[in-house]
Amino acid sequence: MNSGLEILADAVLANNLVLLQGLGLYALTRYTKDVRSAFESSIAMFAVLFTATLLVWAAEAFVPVLYALDLPFYLLVAAASAFFWNFVFAKMPLGERIDRTLPGALFNSILVGALLLLPERGVFGSGIVGYGLSAGLGYGLVLVVMAGIRERLNLSPVPKPFQGIPILLITVGLLALSFMGFRIQ
Amino acid sequence: MTVIQEFLAGIFGNNPVFRLSLGLVPAIGVTAVALNGVFLGILTTVVLIASLITAWILRHYVPEGSWQIMDIALLAVFTALAQRILVLYYPVMVVELGIYIPLIVVNAFVLFRMEHNSKLTISIAQGLGMGIGFTLSLFIIGVVREFLGMGTLLGNTILSGNMPPFSLAAAVPGGFLILGLLLALVNAVFGSPQEVDEVGADGQ
């Protein structure tokens, strides 16, 4: 799997990291209180994933077998990328609001999970950067959609035991079911 | 609170999955089979306790501003070590659990628990309590999903094939639905929890 469109469709729809791999649930339950914070978190994650995959691609040129790279390396790349954008966003005029979600980006299982999934999904070369960008897009899509649904859920009469995380997870489950339609079994 | 109270709070009042909604990624990712969930829960507890003890020893030699970085580094070292050892003894389990073993490092409840207490016994009681609470919740979710999804219970066939299994329960979307329903059930019985908004409010 290394054509651009294939990677885009796989990471955004057919194997969406949040809905169909079940990653990044901490962000999904905490950063979707309103559309704005969901959007900010998505932008931060998109930027961090871009530089992190760029670094992995560069490293792949020196270490020929991607499978030799392991957790400590991926964590180092994730940390370098998160701190780089932390620095960049702090200098930008509107950056201070995005900046807030960046330390969280390092501990988000989307970031480390996407890097760990690279060998399993069989992407290599420049496809790695493509996968990072697509994963960021898929994450942003789910977060913004969920934030929109959550704003409407706030106006709906939800039974008391279901309020908060339970109704959110059930909504995510139903959304994930619709995304399952993009898979060919 | 005494050591015993801290330990019990981790299992019941502060249960990571059912009360604090932390560590939901493994709670959905590995619980299609109940024993996998138990295995990951025990592994997470071992890594957490080992990191807590090492962090307690090393904190006298590391400046306070770098403690968070030290925590992450220790978790990464112990997780990588656990994975290497498991490859030798349980290679099947490493393949089954896949990326969820390395993801222990970014598990929200592990990061939440890696705080620096001056007393080691309290830290260990809290870590052990929450680890057991986490393992127990993964086991409960796993039993429900495994029974619905494959008609088996801890690997033993219960439904003899006359009824087709509800295979959605074994997939990730079914995991969301079942975890949501279980959380609602726990809320209905024990009352709604107050929400923990940010992991380690001191800026993680």
Side-chain angles (χ1 to χ4, degrees):
Chain A
M1 184 181 78
N2 222 34
S3 96
L5 205 58
E6 226 178 357
I7 290 172
L8 186 72
D10 183 74
V12 177
L13 302 173
N15 272 306
N16 188 295
L17 287 173
V18 183
L19 295 178
L20 296 170
Q21 309 269 355
L23 298 172
L25 295 186
Y26 181 80
L28 190 69
T29 49
R30 266 71 174 190
Y31 301 152
T32 52
K33 298 231 165 79
D34 52 293
V35 176
R36 196 188 165 125
S37 65
F39 193 63
E40 284 160 3
S41 170
S42 314
I43 290 189
M45 185 50 73
F46 186 75
V48 173
L49 268 169
F50 170 61
T51 43
T53 44
L54 209 60
L55 284 172
V56 174
W57 181 34
E60 200 202 27
F62 298 104
V63 185
V65 188
L66 193 63
Y67 302 86
L69 309 172
D70 208 4
L71 172 71
F73 169 76
Y74 287 137
L75 262 185
L76 207 65
V77 165
S81 174
F83 282 112
F84 170 72
W85 284 105
N86 208 352
F87 180 75
V88 171
F89 281 132
K91 299 266 180 229
M92 272 162 54
L94 280 170
E96 70 268 18
R97 280 187 62 89
I98 297 173
D99 187 20
R100 191 170 44 85
T101 60
L102 266 171
L106 173 58
F107 303 110
N108 195 327
S109 50
I110 282 276
L111 177 56
V112 182
L115 297 178
L116 286 166
L117 275 173
L118 286 172
E120 192 183 294
R121 304 240 56 85
V123 289
F124 50 88
S126 56
I128 290 174
V129 182
Y131 188 79
L133 291 176
S134 315
L137 275 181
Y139 171 78
L141 176 75
V142 173
L143 234 66
V144 172
V145 166
M146 276 312 297
I149 295 176
R150 203 169 173 178
E151 283 186 351
R152 297 192 64 164
L153 267 180
N154 287 340
L155 304 172
S156 322
V158 178
K160 191 147 193 314
F162 281 91
Q163 278 169 14
I165 308 277
I167 190 70
L168 192 73
L169 283 175
I170 291 169
T171 315
V172 174
L174 294 174
L175 194 63
L177 267 178
S178 67
F179 270 64
M180 262 178 115
F182 290 109
R183 284 179 133 170
I184 302 163
Q185 289 290 339
Chain B
M1 285 214 285
T2 64
V3 174
I4 304 285
Q5 277 171 325
E6 293 280 4
F7 175 72
L8 290 178
I11 301 179
F12 301 106
N14 284 332
N15 186 299
V17 175
F18 286 127
R19 301 270 80 183
L20 306 180
S21 322
L22 298 171
L24 296 181
V25 170
I28 284 174
V30 299
T31 51
V33 178
L35 281 181
N36 285 2
V38 174
F39 197 87
L40 190 81
I42 294 170
L43 198 64
T44 309
T45 313
V46 170
V47 168
L48 174 61
I49 299 290
S51 311
L52 275 173
I53 294 173
T54 323
W56 188 80
I57 296 167
L58 285 181
R59 69 196 187 117
H60 301 292
Y61 307 103
V62 177
E64 197 170 342
S66 319
W67 279 2
Q68 271 197 352
I69 297 168
M70 176 184 77
D71 289 348
I72 301 291
L74 284 175
L75 283 172
V77 166
F78 281 111
T79 310
L81 198 68
Q83 198 179 11
R84 291 289 188 282
I85 295 171
L86 281 177
V87 166
L88 286 179
Y89 295 100
Y90 298 99
V92 182
M93 217 29 138
V94 175
V95 176
E96 288 257 311
L97 295 177
I99 63 164
Y100 293 98
I101 296 178
L103 281 181
I104 289 174
V105 180
V106 287
N107 189 326
F109 111 81
V110 171
L111 294 167
F112 174 78
R113 203 64 278 169
M114 279 299 284
E115 57 187 27
H116 291 271
N117 227 318
S118 51
K119 286 180 91 174
L120 184 62
T121 46
I122 297 275
S123 293
I124 291 182
Q126 286 174 338
L128 204 62
M130 271 198 154
I132 291 174
F134 181 64
T135 312
L136 205 66
S137 8
L138 291 197
F139 176 70
I140 293 169
I141 301 163
V143 165
V144 174
R145 283 185 69 189
E146 193 184 324
F147 180 69
L148 290 176
M150 288 177 273
T152 59
L153 209 57
L154 306 178
N156 307 312
T157 310
I158 303 288
L159 300 178
S160 54
N162 295 327
M163 196 180 107
F166 175 55
S167 61
L168 175 68
V172 171
F176 283 124
L177 294 175
I178 288 171
L179 182 58
L181 292 173
L182 281 174
L183 279 172
L185 182 71
V186 172
N187 284 354
V189 176
F190 298 103
S192 300
Q194 71 231 56
E195 203 175 333
V196 180
D197 236 5
E198 301 288 330
V199 167
D202 49 316
Q204 271 195 0

